[in-house]
């Protein structure tokens, strides 16, 4: 009798310690779901979803407090990927997101720039180079085309221009032969 | 003559198709040297990798063979002036590309003098040269794979320490219909090719050399065998392979010769082989023996739309329309212009494009040779595409997923092992443009991958920015805290008499007012009054009254300043 109680208690203690140790040793940092949602979002940090950046939106989606159709730069592709990841039903894109935008790049009209640094402070990815009373310029390779630099500019010298397609960035189009007259199989 | 050495066993790759070879048209005439054009248009990107960087400016005189754009980065190739003249423009020009877009080019107006720049001294025995010097000459000569892929040869002959190369495969298969430029090169310049092979073999440390030629080129086989025998190269052999499209594909050729398969997503060097085109070998010989860069190549002008189909040796940068003129011009039948062969080439919308290092054939096809695409009908799942696929893929499955734009699924079905040979489209009874779907899917896949990398990059930059802002805020707060602490230390300790006023300024004012009141009281006790209150004018008296009034007003605090 005593033996049984003793062995069961020892086992309980041993497993308890094991569980306790595992909880500390293999602790999951952060919410892996947020990470996975964040990986799908295009990281333009544009705020068009109504959240201050991609990660806050990812957190809101993970907490089920936001729809998955609020990301215009991600478009339908991102929405479908999110629906797939979260097991939700695909929903039509919402508001601004409905018109899928072509990729753009911010361009500063350098002769008009007054060097106020307001756009530098607005850029979420530090893609604008300049200093007070010095001409600013956009580092094209870093710009995500989010457009957050446009509103603060007091002289409206920033424009969004569509990305120029060259032989390197050109993509084969989806085949549009007479084939498309055929009904979808 | 077509027989291989006894004991040479050939293997077979999966699928493949027999096509009418249509090579006789352009081999009937001897190779001619194309005349010097008025303008040479030299694209800065004629290779896989980083675009070359111009070394000349508009107005600069250039000499034949002078490097006018240098390689940027490891996987890149320089560009040389194909003739002497003056640089008249550095701008975007139409280039041969399936997109039909413009790309940066250097335009040279030739002076007709063909003055060469100073070249490194010619060498009679190339293998006596230092290995580094040889590699340098090849790299600086702008040689790229002339079979069509245009991968920088300087990189290819340097497979890295991890790969020991036992066999050098020389690709003279030229399996695509109509194209004969390698055939004619082998017939006419076998000696040059053999010299280039010897150099490549030495640099790669390859134990054996296999020169593969399809059995529909008996003259080339004979010429190469004769040149090889004359050179006395050991463990080198011309291997005759059966004519079957696409036996000239790198992976297919390796499988025919060795029975081995190059791993999916890998390169031949992983299994100890390097594959090189015959024209590339000839260019290597020019570069090392004569120190001459790659400024010309053979191109086949053929098809029912060309009056006198022929092979021309033309300078890189020569406009294609001038080459067509030298081949007798167009016949009335030209319906479609294709750069490359009918299977893997791409359509051109016009011919005012420069000849590039990778262009091997200009096919002006008649309507009969290249009929316009017929309407595709539904896939009947016959499976002929899978039977024909030399890469052993399932084109039908790939097609469904590509059509549904399910790019991940196409990757799972090894989309990137597709060599775009066109066998599946050719055999499809439903006329489905399968290769077009696969090209689309490959493009979409790399676009997605690029997008993903961009997003990851933007996320890291955003995080770095947030971290920086947080750090600056923390620094600002810490500074403020320090200042507060410093001020608190300087402040005099509250007096023992219980002066509650926390502000030292207030305390000082209070003390001064107290002193003034005390002094006034003392003077009053001594019977002294202010000395300036007598004999006042009326105006002064009024001013005093007003001041007294203000002082007496209850809401008016005593002036502090």
């Amino acid at each position: 009798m005593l033996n049984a109680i003793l062995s069961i208690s020892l086992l309980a203690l041993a497993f308890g310690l094991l569980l306790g140790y595992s909880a500390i040793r293999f602790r999951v940092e952060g919410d892996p779901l947020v990470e996975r949602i964040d990986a799908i979002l295009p990281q333009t940090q544009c705020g068009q979803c109504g959240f201050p950046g991609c990660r806050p939106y990812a957190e809101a989606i993970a907490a089920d407090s936001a729809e998955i159709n609020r990301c215009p730069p991600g478009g339908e592709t991102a929405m479908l990927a999110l629906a797939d990841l979260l097991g939700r039903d695909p929903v039509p894109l919402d508001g601004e997101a409905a018109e899928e935008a072509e990729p753009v790049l911010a361009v500063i009209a350098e002769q008009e720039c007054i060097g106020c640094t307001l756009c530098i402070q607005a850029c979420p990815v530090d893609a604008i180079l300049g200093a007070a009373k010095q001409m600013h310029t956009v580092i094209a390779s870093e710009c995500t085309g989010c457009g957050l630099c446009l509103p603060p500019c007091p002289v409206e010298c920033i424009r969004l221009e569509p990305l120029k397609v060259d032989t390197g960035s050109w993509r084969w189009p989806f085949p549009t032969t007479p084939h498309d007259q055929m009904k979808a199989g | 003559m077509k027989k291989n050495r006894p004991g040479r066993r050939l293997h077979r790759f999966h699928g493949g198709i027999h096509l009418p070879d249509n090579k006789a048209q352009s081999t009937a005439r001897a190779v001619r040297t194309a005349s010097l054009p008025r303008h040479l248009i030299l694209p800065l990107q004629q290779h896989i990798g980083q675009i070359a960087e111009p070394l000349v400016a508009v107005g600069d005189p250039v000499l034949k063979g002078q490097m006018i754009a240098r390689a940027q980065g490891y996987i890149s190739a320089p560009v040389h002036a194909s003739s002497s003249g003056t640089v008249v423009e550095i701008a975007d020009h139409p280039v041969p590309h399936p997109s039909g877009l413009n790309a940066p080019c250097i335009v040279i107006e030739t002076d007709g003098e063909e003055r060469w720049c100073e070249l490194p001294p010619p060498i009679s025995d190339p293998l006596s040269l230092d290995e580094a010097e040889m590699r340098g000459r090849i790299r600086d000569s702008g040689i790229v794979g002339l079979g069509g892929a245009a991968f920088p040869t300087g990189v290819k002959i340097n497979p890295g320490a991890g790969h020991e190369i036992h066999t050098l495969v020389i690709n003279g298969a030229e399996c695509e219909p109509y194209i004969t430029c390698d055939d004619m090169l082998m017939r006419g310049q076998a000696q040059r090719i053999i010299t280039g092979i010897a150099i490549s073999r030495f640099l790669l440390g390859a134990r054996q050399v296999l020169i593969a030629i399809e059995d529909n080129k008996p003259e080339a086989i004979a010429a190469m065998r004769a040149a090889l025998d004359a050179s006395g190269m050991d463990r080198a052999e011309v291997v005759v392979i059966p004519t079957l499209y696409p036996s000239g594909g790198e992976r297919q050729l390796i499988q025919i010769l060795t029975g081995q398969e190059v791993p999916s997503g890998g390169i031949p060097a992983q299994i100890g082989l390097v594959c090189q085109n015959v024209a590339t070998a000839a260019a290597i010989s020019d570069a090392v023996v004569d120190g001459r860069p790659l400024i010309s190549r053979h191109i086949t002008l053929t098809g029912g739309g060309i009056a006198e189909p022929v092979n021309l040796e033309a300078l890189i940068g020569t406009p294609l329309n001038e080459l067509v003129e030298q081949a007798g011009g167009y016949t009335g039948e030209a319906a479609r212009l294709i750069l490359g062969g009918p299977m893997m080439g791409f359509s051109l919308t016009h011919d005012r494009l420069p000849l590039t290092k990778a262009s091997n054939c200009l096919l002006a096809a008649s309507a009969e040779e290249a009929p316009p695409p017929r309407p595709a009908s539904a896939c009947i799942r016959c499976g002929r595409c899978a039977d024909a696929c030399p890469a052993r893929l399932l084109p039908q499955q790939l097609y469904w997923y590509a059509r549904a734009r399910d790019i991940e699924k196409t990757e799972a079905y090894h989309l990137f092992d597709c060599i775009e040979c066109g066998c599946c489209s050719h055999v499809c009874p439903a006329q489905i443009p399968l290769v077009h779907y696969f090209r689309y899917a490959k493009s979409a896949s790399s676009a997605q991958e690029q997008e993903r990398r961009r997003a990851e990059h933007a996320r890291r930059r955003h995080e770095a920015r947030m971290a920086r802002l947080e750090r600056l805020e923390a620094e600002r707060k810490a500074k403020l805290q320090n200042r507060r602490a410093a001020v608190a230390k300087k402040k005099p300790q509250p007096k023992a008499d219980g002066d509650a006023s926390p502000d030292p300024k207030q305390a000082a004012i209070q003390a001064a007012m107290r002193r003034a009141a005390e002094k006034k009281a003392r003077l009053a006790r001594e019977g002294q009054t202010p000395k300036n209150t007598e004999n006042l004018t009326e105006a002064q008296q009024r001013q005093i009254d007003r001041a007294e009034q203000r002082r007496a007003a209850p809401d008016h605090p005593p002036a502090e300043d």
Side-chain angles (χ1 to χ4, degrees):
Chain A
M1 179 67 188
L2 195 69
N3 262 350
I5 292 172
L6 207 66
S7 53
I8 292 292
S9 320
L10 273 175
L11 271 175
L13 189 70
F15 282 121
L17 285 173
L18 188 70
L19 278 174
Y21 172 74
S22 312
I24 297 162
R25 178 72 179 73
F26 303 111
R27 189 185 172 80
V28 178
E29 290 291 342
D31 186 349
L33 185 60
V34 174
E35 300 291 335
R36 285 167 69 188
I37 297 172
D38 201 32
I40 291 171
L41 297 176
Q43 305 299 327
T44 50
Q45 319 294 345
C46 64
Q48 292 179 75
C49 51
F51 294 90
C54 294
R55 204 177 163 90
Y57 180 44
E59 279 161 8
I61 294 175
D64 219 353
S65 60
E67 264 302 346
I68 55 173
N69 60 351
R70 306 221 24 92
C71 179
E76 188 144 13
T77 325
M79 189 275 292
L80 288 174
L82 286 172
D84 195 36
L85 173 68
L86 300 164
R88 293 200 204 169
D89 285 330
V91 272
L93 294 182
D94 183 44
E96 285 176 74
E99 315 117 40
E100 215 162 299
E102 57 177 333
V104 288
L105 197 68
V107 177
I108 295 179
E110 282 152 4
Q111 63 276 33
E112 288 166 35
C113 173
I114 54 169
C116 67
T117 77
L118 288 177
C119 56
I120 296 180
Q121 292 160 37
C123 180
V125 290
D126 284 336
I128 302 178
L129 194 69
K133 296 190 178 162
Q134 304 287 321
M135 182 187 80
H136 299 354
T137 194
V138 176
I139 308 169
S141 60
E142 310 296 347
C143 177
T144 63
C146 67
L148 287 181
C149 49
L150 265 64
C153 181
V155 291
E156 295 188 359
C157 71
I158 310 179
R159 288 184 320 280
L160 291 181
E161 284 187 356
L163 270 177
K164 201 175 145 250
V165 178
D166 58 22
T167 50
S169 60
W170 178 80
R171 306 279 170 219
W172 282 93
F174 192 77
T176 50
T177 50
H179 186 65
D180 285 354
Q181 295 159 6
M182 214 173 73
K183 262 189 259 162
Chain B
M1 202 62 203
K2 276 194 187 180
K3 285 244 179 70
N4 280 324
R5 178 176 64 81
R8 164 62 54 195
R9 209 175 128 241
L10 293 179
H11 304 259
R12 204 185 178 291
F13 62 88
H14 180 265
I17 49 177
H18 289 282
L19 296 165
D21 68 6
N22 280 308
K23 288 178 189 268
Q25 295 96 312
S26 53
T27 50
R29 292 177 183 83
V31 180
R32 289 202 306 266
T33 304
S35 59
L36 182 70
R38 186 94 192 87
H39 287 102
L40 287 163
I41 305 160
L42 295 152
L44 293 175
Q45 176 108 53
Q46 299 184 45
H47 51 264
I48 289 177
Q50 285 263 70
I51 191 165
E53 186 190 10
L55 293 172
V56 290
V58 173
D60 285 0
V62 289
L63 295 172
K64 187 170 181 153
Q66 182 186 334
M67 194 190 283
I68 53 170
R70 66 162 173 230
Q72 272 196 99
Y74 183 56
I75 301 186
S76 184
V79 178
H80 299 80
S82 319
S83 184
S84 59
T86 316
V87 177
V88 287
E89 200 186 358
I90 300 177
D92 284 6
H93 268 273
V95 291
H97 191 267
S99 65
L101 290 168
N102 294 1
C105 298
I106 296 177
V107 183
I108 296 171
E109 191 175 271
T110 55
D111 56 12
E113 291 175 30
E114 298 263 38
R115 263 177 301 135
W116 277 90
C117 68
E118 202 179 314
L119 296 176
I123 303 147
S124 51
D125 179 16
L127 300 187
S128 65
L129 210 62
D130 177 43
E131 197 180 313
E133 164 77 12
M134 270 198 238
R135 288 185 198 279
R137 283 192 178 192
I138 291 172
R139 206 171 151 64
D140 291 343
S141 298
I143 303 175
V144 300
L146 297 178
F151 186 80
T153 304
V155 180
K156 204 169 183 177
I157 52 155
N158 195 11
H163 305 301
E164 200 191 319
I165 304 302
H166 55 74
T167 304
L168 171 63
V169 174
I170 297 297
N171 189 345
E174 199 163 55
C175 61
E176 211 172 341
Y178 290 97
I179 311 176
T180 56
C181 60
D182 287 350
D183 185 4
M184 297 308 273
L185 185 78
M186 286 188 283
R187 290 189 202 183
Q189 302 187 23
Q191 186 54 54
R192 239 175 100 209
I193 298 172
I194 298 293
T195 311
I197 292 172
I199 295 164
S200 298
R201 176 191 199 170
F202 172 74
L203 289 175
L204 289 163
R207 287 195 295 277
Q208 67 168 342
V209 177
L210 301 174
I211 305 165
I213 307 173
E214 273 191 351
D215 58 11
N216 59 355
K217 303 177 191 59
E219 293 93 336
I221 294 166
M224 288 297 284
R225 282 206 169 134
L228 190 61
D229 289 344
S231 74
M233 200 190 293
D234 67 326
R235 299 205 64 183
E237 186 185 342
V238 173
V239 183
V240 181
I241 59 170
T243 299
L244 179 67
Y245 181 79
S247 60
E250 186 174 73
R251 285 153 188 264
Q252 284 67 41
L253 188 56
I254 287 171
Q255 204 175 349
I256 292 170
L257 294 173
T258 68
Q260 279 181 289
E261 279 191 62
V262 179
S264 168
I267 55 166
Q270 286 172 338
I271 55 168
L273 291 113
V274 164
C275 191
Q276 215 164 49
N277 177 267
V278 284
T280 315
I284 289 175
S285 162
D286 289 352
V288 175
V289 178
D290 306 328
R292 202 168 63 215
L294 177 65
I295 54 163
S296 68
R297 68 157 298 147
H298 280 49
I299 178 172
T300 310
L301 297 133
T302 185
I306 298 273
E308 296 162 15
V310 70
N311 277 281
L312 294 176
E313 183 172 5
L315 296 177
I316 307 290
T318 310
L320 295 177
N321 54 340
E322 295 193 21
L323 295 178
V324 171
E325 275 166 37
Q326 291 171 54
Y330 293 109
T331 63
E333 285 174 43
R336 211 174 131 211
L337 210 53
I338 298 166
L339 192 72
M343 298 299 283
M344 296 185 73
F346 54 87
S347 291
L348 302 177
T349 49
H350 62 92
D351 59 4
R352 283 173 304 284
L353 300 164
L355 171 70
T356 61
K357 293 175 186 175
S359 333
N360 49 6
C361 175
L362 182 70
L363 174 63
S366 64
E368 199 181 303
E369 288 169 323
R374 274 173 293 174
S377 50
C379 169
I380 56 169
R381 296 187 181 256
C382 63
R384 278 198 217 167
C385 49
D387 290 341
C389 181
R392 286 201 295 186
L393 299 177
L394 297 171
Q396 200 188 94
Q397 282 318 105
L398 283 168
Y399 161 63
W400 295 121
Y401 290 123
R403 213 180 128 183
R405 299 172 198 248
D406 191 343
I407 307 301
E408 270 100 71
K409 266 288 181 2
T410 59
E411 283 166 17
Y413 278 83
H414 306 286
L415 171 70
F416 281 93
D417 283 337
C418 168
I419 57 166
E420 301 176 25
C421 63
C423 288
C424 52
S425 307
H426 191 266
V427 300
C428 181
Q431 328 281 350
I432 299 171
L434 291 161
V435 175
H436 197 157
Y437 277 97
F438 305 155
R439 281 175 172 164
Y440 153 75
K442 282 183 180 178
S443 256
S445 169
S446 46
Q448 265 181 15
E449 174 62 22
Q450 207 181 336
E451 206 49 54
R452 209 188 50 71
R453 244 181 277 142
R454 262 187 82 93
E456 180 58 28
H457 182 68
R459 194 176 59 78
R460 271 206 306 274
R461 279 185 76 86
H462 182 63
E463 273 167 10
R465 179 186 155 86
M466 294 317 270
R468 194 192 72 224
L469 290 181
E470 224 164 80
R471 197 191 68 229
L472 288 179
E473 182 64 19
E475 272 170 18
R476 200 183 62 84
K477 277 203 179 124
K479 224 169 166 184
L480 210 66
Q481 197 66 40
N482 284 347
R483 283 270 298 276
R484 271 211 200 108
V487 166
K489 214 180 268 173
K490 254 195 248 161
K491 194 172 74 178
Q493 291 300 310
K495 277 175 201 155
D497 64 7
D499 191 342
S501 169
D503 194 342
K505 205 171 166 191
Q506 273 308 328
I509 292 166
Q510 294 293 337
M513 280 169 71
R514 244 196 329 271
R515 277 198 306 278
E518 268 167 27
K519 191 177 176 189
K520 208 173 170 184
R522 198 180 64 232
L523 291 173
R525 271 203 305 279
E526 288 168 13
Q528 285 182 28
T529 47
K531 289 182 180 114
N532 55 355
T533 54
E534 287 155 29
N535 310 324
L536 293 168
T537 64
E538 195 145 329
Q540 283 170 331
Q541 190 56 55
R542 261 208 311 280
Q543 228 175 342
I544 290 167
D545 287 346
R546 270 207 303 280
E548 289 295 338
Q549 231 172 347
R550 274 209 302 279
R551 194 176 292 166
D555 60 339
H556 206 281
E560 284 180 6
D561 297 332

